[in-house]
Amino acid sequence: MNLLEHEGKQLLSEFGINIPKGVILAPDDDVTSAASALGFPLFVKAQVPIGGRGKAGGIVKVDSMAHLIAESNRIAGMSIRGYQVTSILLEEMVHGDRDIYVSISIDRRSGSPALLVGREGGMDIESSPADSMTREILDVFEEIPASAIARIEGSLNLPKESRRPFAEFLHMMWSLFRTKDLELLEINPLTLSSRNGRFTAIDAKVVFNDDAVFRHPNMKVAMDRGLSPWEAECRIAGLVGVQLDGTIGVIANGAGLNMATLDTISDLGMTGGAFLDLGGTDDPEKVALAIRLMIMSKDALGLDGILINIFGGITRCDTVAKGVLQAAPRRHDIPIVVRMRGVNEIDGRLLLTTNGIPAFLVLDEAIYALLAEVDGK
Amino acid sequence: MTLGVNEDSKVIVQGITGHQGSIHTAEMLAFGTRIVGGVSPGKGGQMVGPVPVFDNMDSALKHLDADCSVLFVPAPHCREAVKEAVDAGIGTIVIITEHMPVHDSMWIRRYAAKMGARIIGPNCPGICIPGVAKIAIMPNSIFAKGNTAVISRSGTLTYEIVSSLSDNGIGQRCCIGIGGDLVIGTTMAEALDELLDDSMVDSIVMIGEIGGTAEQDAAEAYANKPKKPLIAYVAGRTAPEERRMGHAGAIISGGSGSYSDKVRALESAGIRVSTRLNDIPVRLSQLMSEW
């Protein structure tokens, strides 16, 4: 789950990392008193849980009250790549002499956290030359070793008086990353002021590991962030829904099976409109729930047809078929075809077909049958 | 022996008295797995079918020998349960549980490495060696004995592909479900490495998906060893970027982990990629006849 910039900065501050002075405002709030406290010039920043705000015009520097009022009104009403701006951050301008990139993320290859530091802060990390970056794999059992810090400070060519504060800063980042179950903690840029030797985090991207919410209950409130209303409904039902651009909804009992089914649908000339993962379960109640969730939102999802792909494991296929029928799929005006395989599969498919739901053993046949029904409408 | 599992493996089921634990204990016993005991805190003294239940690993190992365990323990307690198994000297630990916090996964991976234990998973369907043992939730009926090894990041997609191999007379030596999470105990490259050295394996099917570098790392492992016929399949060709597709690890992030990256890396290492799900058995047969 992506934290908003101000939420991320709040966490940094809690762990001793300097952040610019700022005031968070709702779109309707009065900006004038906040501005007086911060002084001009200051930054107006849209708060949305995705990147690319700057390019979209969601981050501006203003140097007068009139300018501030105009820009905050504009930004407060913005929608950036589908995300409505829910708050704006007014922030003082911090003067620095050097911008550095620092992040801690999860290196999947080694299954360990990785610390990445770059000499060229403030720019797109992907465009940074490889030799400007230093990477250290970290040990979850240990503090960041002095040797790693020495290598990083060497590669950055930090002035002597900045080395100790920088080392302390890295320890604070590591502590925050582990304590708050983060997947990513990225500061870009981290600004160093030679005047007072302070490091300040100018921007922060923080991603929380959703699976750890049981030990961070305050994160619960934001769990639906970034999800469409339908996707949020699925999440509440204990399922995973992803809205797609096409017209065929796929319900399957397994994420890999679901993705493979969507790929196969595409091979045969149709487009995926929704992904709804039941998880590994073949529980008829969950199957019925999933079908209802998809049917009820078929118009919002833009669906012309629904394919259900169940590979039966523990539950017998006739029991799963009863679950499908429980959702009363025939009463709704959308073609639905089932592909079903597993124990008692013949009984299961028979039960479906005798109740008006076409059911097949072979996936391609099921998809062709759905294609025919969809085209026929 | 595959990843520490063979016909002599003695297995403890952690979380045995729960719904999933008890159902799958019965299924594993039916497959021929030697389940010697189970652990469920507070339930020591009970039986699950013929299997005695203990309060913890220590107490279980006072009464019996075991070298493997399989976890059906709720995610918040998994790290603790894995540590218990490692400390008790269990060599191969299979974690079925989904939604383990990634920091806990990194911790157990580090701890197991330090202590010399092997972890498979989390969020995996387990490991099955037809005719030998099944420490898994994979359905018993899909398997046929043979010499093809299957490695997969998926659950039910694995069953789908194994079934179609069996349908086409291609039996399996083993099937390893490594799991769908961001951080796992045994990587695709590590599993592949072992299978390339296993004389009972004459061919391999690798089932991947979008997200991460598992397939790219496996391709590198393949390039560095004497070859065996290998067909790869990658799910998620049509998945959008920056969206988590069910599995914690199935996400194309910052342009990395895309389908095309994976296919390119696999093909550069000389691995044939089946672009269609249904083509896997045919492509493998073709490759075997050309080999």
Side-chain angles (χ1 to χ4, degrees), chain A residues 282 312-316 342-343, chain B residues 11 13 16 18-35 48-51 70 72 96 125 127-143 159:
Chain A
D282 47 11
I314 291 301
T315 312
R316 295 164 193 287
V343 174
Chain B
V11 184
V13 178
I16 191 172
H19 181 65
Q20 291 294 301
S22 49
I23 286 177
H24 287 290
T25 295
E27 292 290 311
M28 286 186 277
L29 284 169
F31 198 87
T33 308
R34 296 179 60 184
I35 309 237
V48 171
V51 180
V70 57
F72 294 92
I96 306 296
I127 173 172
C128 179
I129 308 171
V132 174
K134 185 186 93 161
I135 307 180
I137 57 171
M138 303 176 189
N140 293 356
S141 55
I142 61 178
F143 295 99
Y159 314 162

Short mmCIF file of all heavy atoms in Angstrom, two decimals, chain A residues 282 312-316 342-343, chain B residues 11 13 16 18-35 48-51 70 72 96 125 127-143 159:
data_model
loop_
_atom_site.label_atom_id
_atom_site.label_comp_id
_atom_site.label_asym_id
_atom_site.label_seq_id
_atom_site.Cartn_x
_atom_site.Cartn_y
_atom_site.Cartn_z
N ASP A 282 -11.90 -24.04 -3.48
CA ASP A 282 -12.99 -24.41 -4.38
C ASP A 282 -14.28 -24.48 -3.55
O ASP A 282 -15.22 -25.18 -3.90
CB ASP A 282 -12.69 -25.72 -5.13
CG ASP A 282 -12.18 -26.81 -4.20
OD1 ASP A 282 -12.25 -26.63 -2.95
OD2 ASP A 282 -11.73 -27.85 -4.69
N GLY A 312 -10.86 -28.27 -9.57
CA GLY A 312 -11.27 -28.79 -8.27
C GLY A 312 -10.16 -29.54 -7.55
O GLY A 312 -9.46 -30.35 -8.14
N GLY A 313 -10.01 -29.26 -6.28
CA GLY A 313 -9.00 -29.96 -5.49
C GLY A 313 -9.67 -30.86 -4.47
O GLY A 313 -9.95 -32.01 -4.72
N ILE A 314 -9.98 -30.27 -3.32
CA ILE A 314 -10.59 -31.03 -2.22
C ILE A 314 -12.09 -31.20 -2.45
O ILE A 314 -12.66 -32.26 -2.25
CB ILE A 314 -10.32 -30.31 -0.88
CG1 ILE A 314 -8.83 -30.42 -0.54
CG2 ILE A 314 -11.18 -30.88 0.23
CD1 ILE A 314 -8.31 -31.83 -0.42
N THR A 315 -12.73 -30.10 -2.86
CA THR A 315 -14.19 -30.14 -3.00
C THR A 315 -14.58 -30.83 -4.30
O THR A 315 -13.97 -30.63 -5.33
CB THR A 315 -14.75 -28.71 -3.01
OG1 THR A 315 -14.18 -28.00 -1.92
CG2 THR A 315 -16.25 -28.70 -2.88
N ARG A 316 -15.61 -31.64 -4.22
CA ARG A 316 -16.07 -32.33 -5.42
C ARG A 316 -16.73 -31.34 -6.39
O ARG A 316 -17.39 -30.40 -5.96
CB ARG A 316 -17.06 -33.42 -5.03
CG ARG A 316 -16.37 -34.49 -4.24
CD ARG A 316 -17.31 -35.40 -3.47
NE ARG A 316 -16.52 -36.16 -2.53
CZ ARG A 316 -15.71 -37.18 -2.87
NH1 ARG A 316 -15.64 -37.59 -4.13
NH2 ARG A 316 -14.98 -37.79 -1.97
N GLY A 342 -11.84 -31.82 -12.22
CA GLY A 342 -11.52 -32.29 -10.87
C GLY A 342 -12.38 -33.49 -10.50
O GLY A 342 -13.06 -34.06 -11.35
N VAL A 343 -12.38 -33.84 -9.24
CA VAL A 343 -13.14 -35.01 -8.78
C VAL A 343 -14.64 -34.80 -9.00
O VAL A 343 -15.17 -33.73 -8.74
CB VAL A 343 -12.85 -35.26 -7.28
CG1 VAL A 343 -13.73 -36.37 -6.74
CG2 VAL A 343 -11.38 -35.56 -7.07
N VAL B 11 7.39 -36.78 8.43
CA VAL B 11 6.83 -35.43 8.37
C VAL B 11 5.96 -35.10 9.59
O VAL B 11 5.14 -35.91 10.02
CB VAL B 11 5.97 -35.27 7.09
CG1 VAL B 11 5.45 -33.84 6.96
CG2 VAL B 11 6.77 -35.68 5.86
N VAL B 13 3.13 -32.29 10.84
CA VAL B 13 2.23 -31.26 10.33
C VAL B 13 2.03 -30.21 11.42
O VAL B 13 1.51 -30.50 12.49
CB VAL B 13 0.86 -31.86 9.92
CG1 VAL B 13 -0.09 -30.76 9.44
CG2 VAL B 13 1.04 -32.92 8.85
N ILE B 16 -1.93 -28.87 12.66
CA ILE B 16 -2.63 -30.06 12.17
C ILE B 16 -4.12 -30.07 12.50
O ILE B 16 -4.91 -30.67 11.76
CB ILE B 16 -1.96 -31.35 12.70
CG1 ILE B 16 -2.52 -32.58 11.97
CG2 ILE B 16 -2.14 -31.48 14.22
CD1 ILE B 16 -1.79 -33.88 12.27
N GLY B 18 -6.28 -27.59 12.57
CA GLY B 18 -7.11 -26.65 11.81
C GLY B 18 -7.80 -27.37 10.65
O GLY B 18 -7.48 -28.51 10.34
N HIS B 19 -8.74 -26.65 9.99
CA HIS B 19 -9.51 -27.24 8.89
C HIS B 19 -8.60 -27.75 7.78
O HIS B 19 -8.66 -28.92 7.39
CB HIS B 19 -10.49 -26.17 8.37
CG HIS B 19 -11.35 -26.64 7.26
ND1 HIS B 19 -12.30 -27.64 7.39
CD2 HIS B 19 -11.40 -26.25 5.96
CE1 HIS B 19 -12.89 -27.83 6.23
NE2 HIS B 19 -12.37 -27.01 5.34
N GLN B 20 -7.73 -26.85 7.28
CA GLN B 20 -6.83 -27.22 6.19
C GLN B 20 -5.84 -28.29 6.63
O GLN B 20 -5.58 -29.26 5.93
CB GLN B 20 -6.03 -25.99 5.71
CG GLN B 20 -6.87 -24.94 5.00
CD GLN B 20 -7.41 -25.46 3.69
OE1 GLN B 20 -6.66 -25.85 2.81
NE2 GLN B 20 -8.72 -25.48 3.56
N GLY B 21 -5.29 -28.12 7.84
CA GLY B 21 -4.30 -29.06 8.36
C GLY B 21 -4.84 -30.48 8.42
O GLY B 21 -4.19 -31.43 7.98
N SER B 22 -6.04 -30.63 8.94
CA SER B 22 -6.58 -31.98 9.11
C SER B 22 -6.97 -32.61 7.78
O SER B 22 -6.68 -33.78 7.54
CB SER B 22 -7.76 -31.98 10.09
OG SER B 22 -8.68 -30.97 9.75
N ILE B 23 -7.59 -31.84 6.90
CA ILE B 23 -7.98 -32.38 5.58
C ILE B 23 -6.75 -32.85 4.81
O ILE B 23 -6.73 -33.96 4.28
CB ILE B 23 -8.72 -31.30 4.76
CG1 ILE B 23 -10.12 -31.11 5.30
CG2 ILE B 23 -8.77 -31.69 3.28
CD1 ILE B 23 -10.88 -30.01 4.59
N HIS B 24 -5.73 -32.02 4.78
CA HIS B 24 -4.57 -32.36 3.97
C HIS B 24 -3.69 -33.43 4.61
O HIS B 24 -2.98 -34.14 3.90
CB HIS B 24 -3.80 -31.10 3.59
CG HIS B 24 -4.53 -30.30 2.55
ND1 HIS B 24 -4.65 -30.73 1.26
CD2 HIS B 24 -5.23 -29.14 2.64
CE1 HIS B 24 -5.39 -29.86 0.57
NE2 HIS B 24 -5.76 -28.89 1.38
N THR B 25 -3.77 -33.56 5.94
CA THR B 25 -3.07 -34.67 6.59
C THR B 25 -3.63 -35.99 6.05
O THR B 25 -2.88 -36.90 5.68
CB THR B 25 -3.23 -34.61 8.12
OG1 THR B 25 -2.58 -33.43 8.59
CG2 THR B 25 -2.62 -35.82 8.80
N ALA B 26 -4.96 -36.07 5.97
CA ALA B 26 -5.61 -37.29 5.45
C ALA B 26 -5.19 -37.55 4.00
O ALA B 26 -4.89 -38.68 3.62
CB ALA B 26 -7.12 -37.16 5.57
N GLU B 27 -5.16 -36.49 3.20
CA GLU B 27 -4.79 -36.63 1.79
C GLU B 27 -3.34 -37.08 1.63
O GLU B 27 -3.03 -37.93 0.79
CB GLU B 27 -4.98 -35.29 1.05
CG GLU B 27 -6.43 -34.85 0.91
CD GLU B 27 -7.20 -35.70 -0.07
OE1 GLU B 27 -6.72 -35.94 -1.19
OE2 GLU B 27 -8.30 -36.14 0.30
N MET B 28 -2.45 -36.50 2.44
CA MET B 28 -1.03 -36.87 2.35
C MET B 28 -0.83 -38.33 2.78
O MET B 28 -0.05 -39.06 2.17
CB MET B 28 -0.17 -35.92 3.20
CG MET B 28 0.01 -34.54 2.56
SD MET B 28 1.17 -33.47 3.45
CE MET B 28 0.12 -32.79 4.73
N LEU B 29 -1.54 -38.73 3.84
CA LEU B 29 -1.45 -40.13 4.29
C LEU B 29 -1.91 -41.06 3.18
O LEU B 29 -1.27 -42.07 2.90
CB LEU B 29 -2.31 -40.34 5.54
CG LEU B 29 -1.74 -39.80 6.85
CD1 LEU B 29 -2.80 -39.83 7.95
CD2 LEU B 29 -0.51 -40.59 7.29
N ALA B 30 -3.01 -40.70 2.52
CA ALA B 30 -3.55 -41.52 1.42
C ALA B 30 -2.53 -41.64 0.29
O ALA B 30 -2.49 -42.64 -0.42
CB ALA B 30 -4.86 -40.93 0.91
N PHE B 31 -1.71 -40.61 0.12
CA PHE B 31 -0.70 -40.62 -0.95
C PHE B 31 0.49 -41.50 -0.59
O PHE B 31 1.28 -41.88 -1.44
CB PHE B 31 -0.22 -39.18 -1.20
CG PHE B 31 0.47 -38.99 -2.51
CD1 PHE B 31 -0.27 -38.71 -3.66
CD2 PHE B 31 1.85 -39.09 -2.62
CE1 PHE B 31 0.36 -38.54 -4.89
CE2 PHE B 31 2.49 -38.90 -3.84
CZ PHE B 31 1.74 -38.62 -4.97
N GLY B 32 0.63 -41.79 0.73
CA GLY B 32 1.74 -42.62 1.17
C GLY B 32 2.82 -41.88 1.93
O GLY B 32 3.87 -42.43 2.21
N THR B 33 2.56 -40.62 2.24
CA THR B 33 3.54 -39.84 3.00
C THR B 33 3.59 -40.33 4.45
O THR B 33 2.55 -40.65 5.04
CB THR B 33 3.12 -38.35 3.00
OG1 THR B 33 2.89 -37.93 1.66
CG2 THR B 33 4.19 -37.47 3.64
N ARG B 34 4.82 -40.38 5.01
CA ARG B 34 4.95 -40.82 6.39
C ARG B 34 4.75 -39.63 7.33
O ARG B 34 5.70 -38.96 7.72
CB ARG B 34 6.33 -41.44 6.62
CG ARG B 34 6.57 -42.69 5.80
CD ARG B 34 7.94 -43.26 6.04
NE ARG B 34 8.16 -43.62 7.44
CZ ARG B 34 9.32 -44.08 7.90
NH1 ARG B 34 10.37 -44.21 7.08
NH2 ARG B 34 9.45 -44.40 9.17
N ILE B 35 3.47 -39.40 7.67
CA ILE B 35 3.18 -38.33 8.63
C ILE B 35 3.29 -38.94 10.02
O ILE B 35 2.48 -39.79 10.39
CB ILE B 35 1.79 -37.73 8.42
CG1 ILE B 35 1.61 -37.37 6.95
CG2 ILE B 35 1.56 -36.56 9.37
CD1 ILE B 35 1.27 -35.98 6.63
N VAL B 48 -5.36 -36.83 15.15
CA VAL B 48 -6.02 -36.47 13.88
C VAL B 48 -5.90 -37.71 13.01
O VAL B 48 -4.83 -38.02 12.48
CB VAL B 48 -5.36 -35.23 13.23
CG1 VAL B 48 -5.90 -35.01 11.82
CG2 VAL B 48 -5.58 -34.00 14.09
N GLY B 49 -6.97 -38.47 12.93
CA GLY B 49 -6.89 -39.79 12.30
C GLY B 49 -5.90 -40.61 13.11
O GLY B 49 -5.99 -40.65 14.33
N PRO B 50 -4.94 -41.24 12.44
CA PRO B 50 -3.94 -42.05 13.14
C PRO B 50 -2.76 -41.24 13.66
O PRO B 50 -1.79 -41.81 14.19
CB PRO B 50 -3.48 -43.01 12.04
CG PRO B 50 -3.61 -42.21 10.79
CD PRO B 50 -4.78 -41.29 10.97
N VAL B 51 -2.80 -39.92 13.50
CA VAL B 51 -1.62 -39.09 13.79
C VAL B 51 -1.71 -38.44 15.18
O VAL B 51 -2.69 -37.73 15.47
CB VAL B 51 -1.46 -37.98 12.72
CG1 VAL B 51 -0.24 -37.13 13.01
CG2 VAL B 51 -1.39 -38.60 11.33
N VAL B 70 5.46 -29.51 7.57
CA VAL B 70 4.62 -28.73 6.66
C VAL B 70 3.71 -27.86 7.51
O VAL B 70 3.12 -28.32 8.49
CB VAL B 70 3.83 -29.64 5.69
CG1 VAL B 70 2.95 -30.66 6.43
CG2 VAL B 70 3.00 -28.82 4.73
N PHE B 72 0.54 -25.37 8.25
CA PHE B 72 -0.80 -24.82 7.98
C PHE B 72 -1.10 -23.84 9.12
O PHE B 72 -2.18 -23.86 9.70
CB PHE B 72 -1.85 -25.94 7.96
CG PHE B 72 -1.67 -26.91 6.83
CD1 PHE B 72 -0.90 -28.06 6.99
CD2 PHE B 72 -2.25 -26.68 5.59
CE1 PHE B 72 -0.72 -28.97 5.95
CE2 PHE B 72 -2.09 -27.58 4.54
CZ PHE B 72 -1.32 -28.72 4.72
N ILE B 96 2.78 -23.75 3.58
CA ILE B 96 1.62 -23.62 2.70
C ILE B 96 1.00 -22.23 2.86
O ILE B 96 0.54 -21.62 1.91
CB ILE B 96 0.54 -24.68 3.02
CG1 ILE B 96 1.13 -26.10 2.99
CG2 ILE B 96 -0.65 -24.55 2.08
CD1 ILE B 96 1.65 -26.56 1.64
N PRO B 125 2.07 -24.59 -2.86
CA PRO B 125 1.29 -25.82 -2.72
C PRO B 125 2.12 -27.01 -2.25
O PRO B 125 1.58 -28.08 -2.02
CB PRO B 125 0.76 -26.06 -4.13
CG PRO B 125 1.80 -25.46 -5.02
CD PRO B 125 2.40 -24.30 -4.27
N ILE B 127 5.57 -29.86 -2.21
CA ILE B 127 6.40 -30.68 -3.07
C ILE B 127 5.83 -32.10 -3.13
O ILE B 127 5.43 -32.65 -2.10
CB ILE B 127 7.88 -30.68 -2.60
CG1 ILE B 127 8.70 -31.70 -3.41
CG2 ILE B 127 8.00 -30.95 -1.11
CD1 ILE B 127 10.20 -31.62 -3.15
N CYS B 128 5.75 -32.64 -4.34
CA CYS B 128 5.21 -33.98 -4.52
C CYS B 128 6.16 -34.82 -5.36
O CYS B 128 6.62 -34.37 -6.41
CB CYS B 128 3.84 -33.90 -5.20
SG CYS B 128 3.11 -35.53 -5.47
N ILE B 129 6.46 -36.02 -4.89
CA ILE B 129 7.25 -36.97 -5.66
C ILE B 129 6.36 -38.20 -5.85
O ILE B 129 6.20 -39.00 -4.92
CB ILE B 129 8.56 -37.35 -4.93
CG1 ILE B 129 9.32 -36.08 -4.52
CG2 ILE B 129 9.45 -38.22 -5.81
CD1 ILE B 129 10.51 -36.32 -3.60
N PRO B 130 5.71 -38.32 -7.04
CA PRO B 130 4.74 -39.40 -7.26
C PRO B 130 5.32 -40.77 -6.91
O PRO B 130 6.44 -41.10 -7.29
CB PRO B 130 4.41 -39.30 -8.76
CG PRO B 130 4.65 -37.87 -9.09
CD PRO B 130 5.80 -37.45 -8.22
N GLY B 131 4.53 -41.53 -6.16
CA GLY B 131 4.96 -42.87 -5.75
C GLY B 131 5.89 -42.86 -4.56
O GLY B 131 6.25 -43.92 -4.04
N VAL B 132 6.29 -41.69 -4.13
CA VAL B 132 7.27 -41.60 -3.04
C VAL B 132 6.68 -40.86 -1.84
O VAL B 132 6.49 -41.42 -0.76
CB VAL B 132 8.56 -40.90 -3.53
CG1 VAL B 132 9.53 -40.66 -2.39
CG2 VAL B 132 9.20 -41.71 -4.64
N ALA B 133 6.39 -39.59 -2.01
CA ALA B 133 5.87 -38.80 -0.90
C ALA B 133 5.25 -37.51 -1.42
O ALA B 133 5.63 -37.02 -2.49
CB ALA B 133 6.98 -38.46 0.09
N LYS B 134 4.32 -36.98 -0.66
CA LYS B 134 3.71 -35.70 -1.02
C LYS B 134 3.65 -34.84 0.24
O LYS B 134 2.98 -35.20 1.20
CB LYS B 134 2.31 -35.92 -1.58
CG LYS B 134 1.64 -34.65 -2.08
CD LYS B 134 0.18 -34.87 -2.49
CE LYS B 134 -0.75 -34.58 -1.32
NZ LYS B 134 -2.15 -34.33 -1.75
N ILE B 135 4.43 -33.78 0.26
CA ILE B 135 4.34 -32.82 1.37
C ILE B 135 3.73 -31.60 0.73
O ILE B 135 4.41 -30.64 0.35
CB ILE B 135 5.71 -32.51 1.99
CG1 ILE B 135 6.42 -33.81 2.38
CG2 ILE B 135 5.53 -31.60 3.22
CD1 ILE B 135 7.80 -33.60 3.01
N ALA B 136 2.41 -31.66 0.56
CA ALA B 136 1.76 -30.69 -0.31
C ALA B 136 0.26 -30.75 -0.17
O ALA B 136 -0.29 -31.65 0.47
CB ALA B 136 2.14 -30.99 -1.77
N ILE B 137 -0.39 -29.75 -0.81
CA ILE B 137 -1.85 -29.76 -0.91
C ILE B 137 -2.30 -30.06 -2.33
O ILE B 137 -3.46 -29.94 -2.65
CB ILE B 137 -2.45 -28.41 -0.43
CG1 ILE B 137 -1.87 -27.24 -1.23
CG2 ILE B 137 -2.20 -28.21 1.06
CD1 ILE B 137 -2.59 -25.91 -0.97
N MET B 138 -1.36 -30.41 -3.19
CA MET B 138 -1.69 -30.71 -4.59
C MET B 138 -2.61 -31.95 -4.61
O MET B 138 -2.36 -32.91 -3.89
CB MET B 138 -0.42 -31.01 -5.38
CG MET B 138 0.60 -29.87 -5.33
SD MET B 138 2.13 -30.35 -6.19
CE MET B 138 3.21 -29.01 -5.77
N PRO B 139 -3.64 -31.96 -5.45
CA PRO B 139 -4.57 -33.09 -5.48
C PRO B 139 -3.86 -34.40 -5.87
O PRO B 139 -3.08 -34.40 -6.82
CB PRO B 139 -5.59 -32.71 -6.54
CG PRO B 139 -5.42 -31.25 -6.78
CD PRO B 139 -4.01 -30.91 -6.42
N ASN B 140 -4.12 -35.45 -5.15
CA ASN B 140 -3.44 -36.74 -5.40
C ASN B 140 -3.62 -37.24 -6.82
O ASN B 140 -2.69 -37.79 -7.42
CB ASN B 140 -3.96 -37.81 -4.42
CG ASN B 140 -3.58 -37.51 -2.98
OD1 ASN B 140 -2.88 -36.54 -2.70
ND2 ASN B 140 -4.06 -38.32 -2.06
N SER B 141 -4.83 -37.05 -7.35
CA SER B 141 -5.20 -37.74 -8.59
C SER B 141 -4.57 -37.18 -9.87
O SER B 141 -4.67 -37.79 -10.92
CB SER B 141 -6.71 -37.72 -8.74
OG SER B 141 -7.16 -36.37 -8.65
N ILE B 142 -3.92 -36.02 -9.83
CA ILE B 142 -3.42 -35.43 -11.07
C ILE B 142 -2.10 -36.07 -11.53
O ILE B 142 -1.71 -35.93 -12.67
CB ILE B 142 -3.21 -33.91 -10.95
CG1 ILE B 142 -2.17 -33.57 -9.87
CG2 ILE B 142 -4.54 -33.22 -10.68
CD1 ILE B 142 -1.89 -32.06 -9.75
N PHE B 143 -1.42 -36.76 -10.62
CA PHE B 143 -0.04 -37.19 -10.90
C PHE B 143 0.05 -38.53 -11.60
O PHE B 143 -0.79 -39.40 -11.44
CB PHE B 143 0.76 -37.26 -9.59
CG PHE B 143 0.93 -35.93 -8.93
CD1 PHE B 143 0.12 -35.54 -7.88
CD2 PHE B 143 1.90 -35.04 -9.40
CE1 PHE B 143 0.28 -34.31 -7.27
CE2 PHE B 143 2.05 -33.79 -8.80
CZ PHE B 143 1.24 -33.43 -7.74
N TYR B 159 -1.50 -27.53 -11.07
CA TYR B 159 -2.33 -28.74 -11.16
C TYR B 159 -2.84 -28.90 -12.59
O TYR B 159 -2.90 -30.01 -13.13
CB TYR B 159 -3.56 -28.69 -10.23
CG TYR B 159 -3.30 -28.23 -8.82
CD1 TYR B 159 -4.35 -27.80 -8.03
CD2 TYR B 159 -2.02 -28.23 -8.25
CE1 TYR B 159 -4.16 -27.36 -6.72
CE2 TYR B 159 -1.81 -27.78 -6.95
CZ TYR B 159 -2.89 -27.35 -6.19
OH TYR B 159 -2.70 -26.91 -4.90
#
